[in-house]
Amino acid sequence: SSSQDVKLTEIIPNKDGTYREGPAPLQLPSNAVTLLSVSGNLFYAAVNTLEEMLPSTREAERPVVILRLRQSERIGSTFVNLVEYYDGQLKTRNGKLILAGVTQRVKEQLDLTETTQDVLGEENVFLATENIAESMLAALKAAQDWLKQDLDE
């Protein structure tokens, strides 16, 4: 597997409550949750590839992105920088970034760089559990609840 071996897909809900995978959108929708799944190498060159794959925040208003890191046991500092950068882009559009499927080890790395506390906020990092998709669904519910809140609150 090469350094470019990173995959980004969108997880799309079906009407019957199941999910399917599709290509990640080029542009984020407004006032909606976009659920993205990243797998593969999260180091160095691959992160640059991933950055190019991430949907643009430019036209969106209040976009929420859930980034699901199901298969990632370790992350590099380049990935941490990308998370911080993308979170900033989303916040500029009154949106936010949520991480799901985060392993204990990845969480420790995010805590160490103070990304959890200072950038994302503890409430936007969902730890992986033994049950597949549990943290993703919890993140999805939190994202939808956050969007429902009136802006005036």
Side-chain angles (χ1 to χ4, degrees), residues 20-144:
R20 67 183 191 277
E21 267 188 302
L26 295 174
Q27 174 65 53
L28 290 175
S30 292
N31 299 300
V33 182
T34 303
L35 184 50
L36 300 173
S37 183
V38 63
S39 57
N41 181 339
L42 296 182
F43 290 88
Y44 315 117
V47 175
N48 297 331
T49 308
L50 178 61
E51 185 174 353
E52 285 161 23
M53 292 176 182
L54 285 169
S56 164
T57 58
R58 267 199 305 272
E59 310 291 317
E61 195 45 50
R62 293 185 86 215
V64 181
V65 172
I66 298 172
L67 204 52
R68 182 180 186 227
L69 310 176
R70 185 73 202 175
Q71 278 85 18
S72 313
E73 274 304 323
R74 290 169 56 231
I75 53 173
S77 57
T78 18
F79 181 74
V80 173
N81 293 340
L82 176 59
V83 162
E84 297 190 353
Y85 166 78
Y86 201 52
D87 181 73
Q89 297 267 299
L90 289 161
K91 282 180 176 150
T92 307
R93 309 300 311 162
N94 300 310
K96 69 165 164 175
L97 180 63
I98 297 174
L99 298 183
V102 176
T103 63
Q104 202 56 58
R105 191 165 174 185
V106 166
K107 175 75 163 62
E108 281 160 19
Q109 286 179 274
L110 290 169
D111 289 353
L112 207 62
T113 54
E114 296 184 347
T115 306
T116 306
Q117 306 87 315
D118 296 351
V119 181
L120 294 167
E122 197 77 50
E123 74 281 6
N124 294 314
V125 178
F126 288 79
L127 288 173
T129 64
E130 253 124 66
N131 303 329
I132 299 241
E134 187 175 11
S135 85
M136 177 186 95
L137 296 172
L140 197 54
K141 187 185 180 314
Q144 286 160 343

